[in-house]
Amino acid sequence: MIPEPHGGRLVDRMLSQADRARREAEVGDLLTISPFIDQVYDAEKIGIGAYSPLEGFADQKTLDSIVTTNRLPGGLPWTMPIVLAPTGTQNDAVVAKVRSGDEVGLVDRTGQLFAMLHVEEKFGWDRTRVAESVYATKDPKHPNVADLLASGEVALGGRIDLLRRLDWPTGAAELSPKETREEFHRRGWKNVAGYQTRNVPHTAHEYLQRCTLEREDVDGLLVHPVLGRLKKGDYRPDVILEAYQALVKNYYPAERVLLAALSITMRYGGPKAALFLAIVRKNYGCGSYIVGRDQAGVGTYYDPYACQRIFDEYPIGVQALKFAETYFCRDCGWMATARSCAHPVERRLNTSQTRIREALSKGEVLPSEIIRPEVAKVLARGDVLLTE
Ligand SMILES: [Zn+2]
């Protein structure tokens, strides 16, 4: 069955047209904050229910509960605190001024008002403690920890009202949880498996997707790349989307796969990020969720299989489809894992992203055992990696 949203109800904080017009007319009198891009994404996702049951940014009680128990105050599993702690001279002046009960406008990077924050609590928070809990490190070399430590010392908790969806570069590919749920219903899909990625597809990814599509209990696959802010050296979001479009169009039955973009900032938090990403996909309507090796990991911060074990520790009502490390075996002549292949490690083709990026930077042609020619064509145009 299509699962109920996390907490039982899909949050919808989108204002009606009339309320929106009224709010926008008042904008001259409003105090406004321009959040860091991560929280612009977050505010929008709260508004459309992607983070159900959250209705706003964390207050102190919610933050403490997540950090100490991996649960919301009501007991529901939740591993990623969604905190608004803006910085910058203009924001600091506003944060200093606001009090509980105030209303603050949130503006996007173009200066457009897109959401209202009902400030319910203003509080100081211990960023190092949150980093150590969520990311298991306070090392500023960790991309998210660096951002966290650079955020403001004072956080604003409170509900969000969303005035409009934002214009992301991935445009039409962005669907709301309401829209994916409607689409699943239209297609008659009862159990949908969610696939998380922040990469262009290579054959190891395709293997996991195919194994999932072969399952009798899976009606459809939601390929849902995170295409918000990624880190330096990752692929550009438009490249990831185009590469997936090439794979889906050329290889998968159209009625079995839905490709949609998810604009949020990637949290490279290993197990806690994996569980968070699964909860988000539950809200989009996925009853199953693919978890490969080292999902949402970065560097060597996390045990590569901790991202699978956390699903047993904190049941979220989603079936985790766990896979071992996948590779192309020269002796099998096929994709395999150690569960299905007898051959020594040195017979495996290295299909890692590092290897693919290396080949790209040298202008090498990648073999079809590693990457589909249609996907390689997208990568061959150059300028495909983020440089900042
Ligand atoms: Zn083999």
Side-chain angles (χ1 to χ4, degrees):
M1 293 303 286
I2 301 292
E4 293 285 305
H6 204 47
R9 185 181 65 87
L10 194 64
V11 168
D12 179 4
R13 305 287 303 172
M14 181 75 93
L15 287 181
S16 69
Q17 191 115 30
D19 283 340
R20 193 168 71 219
R22 188 169 57 76
R23 292 307 181 136
E24 280 170 344
E26 293 170 350
V27 67
D29 310 323
L30 257 184
L31 286 174
T32 60
I33 282 174
S34 172
F36 186 50
I37 182 69
D38 295 14
Q39 281 72 52
V40 174
Y41 290 127
D42 287 342
E44 188 203 27
K45 297 307 173 294
I46 291 167
I48 61 172
Y51 292 174
S52 298
L54 304 191
E55 297 193 323
F57 287 101
D59 57 19
Q60 196 158 14
K61 185 179 161 197
T62 304
L63 177 61
D64 282 346
S65 174
I66 295 168
V67 166
T68 55
T69 69
N70 294 320
R71 293 175 187 277
L72 294 172
L76 207 57
W78 191 277
T79 43
M80 192 57 62
I82 306 298
V83 179
L84 178 65
T87 49
T89 315
Q90 283 188 341
N91 287 334
D92 288 348
V94 175
V95 171
K97 218 182 281 182
V98 298
R99 298 283 171 266
S100 300
D102 285 352
E103 218 174 39
V104 178
L106 301 183
V107 298
D108 65 16
R109 285 166 299 174
T110 66
Q112 295 285 308
L113 181 71
F114 75 96
M116 305 293 302
L117 169 70
H118 304 274
V119 180
E120 284 149 28
E121 191 177 17
K122 174 166 128 180
F123 60 100
W125 63 310
D126 185 341
R127 292 162 296 179
T128 306
R129 175 172 169 248
V130 173
E132 284 180 318
S133 162
V134 177
Y135 295 103
T137 176
K138 56 181 178 182
D139 182 358
K141 289 202 276 298
H142 186 295
N144 302 107
V145 170
D147 293 338
L148 208 157
L149 297 178
S151 56
E153 288 172 21
V154 175
L156 300 177
R159 275 165 301 137
I160 288 292
D161 282 326
L162 192 62
L163 276 68
R164 58 184 173 83
R165 291 295 310 265
L166 293 162
D167 300 322
W168 301 120
T170 44
E174 292 277 339
L175 298 176
S176 69
K178 189 164 168 272
E179 288 164 337
T180 53
R181 284 168 173 272
E182 282 167 2
E183 181 63 16
F184 297 164
H185 182 71
R186 198 184 64 74
R187 293 180 179 216
W189 291 358
K190 296 209 162 45
N191 185 30
V192 183
Y195 185 78
Q196 151 68 28
T197 183
R198 59 179 172 90
N199 274 314
V200 300
H202 57 64
T203 47
H205 302 133
E206 185 181 333
Y207 182 71
L208 303 194
Q209 293 161 13
R210 284 183 186 275
C211 286
T212 302
L213 284 166
E214 296 295 350
R215 293 176 64 103
E216 197 204 357
D217 61 351
V218 169
D219 302 310
L221 178 70
L222 174 66
V223 177
H224 209 199
V226 164
L227 298 181
R229 197 168 70 90
L230 304 172
K231 63 181 171 54
K232 186 180 168 183
D234 280 348
Y235 290 99
R236 286 189 2 212
D238 55 315
V239 171
I240 298 172
L241 189 60
E242 209 180 308
Y244 260 104
Q245 281 162 343
L247 176 72
V248 171
K249 179 168 152 246
N250 289 290
Y251 294 95
Y252 290 155
E255 71 281 6
R256 298 265 290 146
V257 178
L258 178 66
L259 172 64
L262 175 63
S263 285
I264 59 173
T265 290
M266 183 60 201
R267 272 97 173 173
Y268 304 88
K272 294 197 183 188
L275 196 77
F276 166 71
L277 289 166
I279 291 170
V280 171
R281 275 39 179 262
K282 177 186 174 187
N283 286 329
Y284 279 84
C286 297
S288 298
Y289 183 74
I290 298 170
V291 200
R293 180 188 176 275
D294 201 24
Q295 180 170 105
V298 64
T300 52
Y301 291 101
Y302 310 105
D303 170 339
Y305 291 100
C307 62
Q308 300 184 348
R309 289 192 300 270
I310 195 167
F311 285 82
D312 304 325
E313 294 162 44
Y314 298 94
I316 56 167
V318 166
Q319 179 191 25
L321 306 176
K322 302 171 184 176
F323 290 91
E325 184 173 15
T326 307
Y327 50 83
F328 183 89
C329 171
R330 293 184 184 89
D331 291 339
C332 292
W334 218 292
M335 300 307 299
T337 75
R339 289 179 172 193
S340 58
C341 147
H343 306 109
V345 174
E346 53 275 18
R347 299 301 296 156
R348 300 174 186 176
L349 260 188
N350 182 351
T351 61
S352 72
Q353 287 294 340
T354 317
R355 159 84 180 92
I356 292 175
R357 283 168 204 175
E358 237 175 57
L360 275 177
S361 67
K362 291 183 197 154
E364 281 175 40
V365 178
L366 289 158
S368 61
E369 287 83 1
I370 293 181
I371 202 151
R372 294 285 189 184
E374 293 84 353
V375 175
K377 205 172 138 198
V378 175
L379 302 185
R381 72 176 193 216
D383 184 28
V384 295
L385 300 180
L386 292 168
T387 52
E388 57 177 330

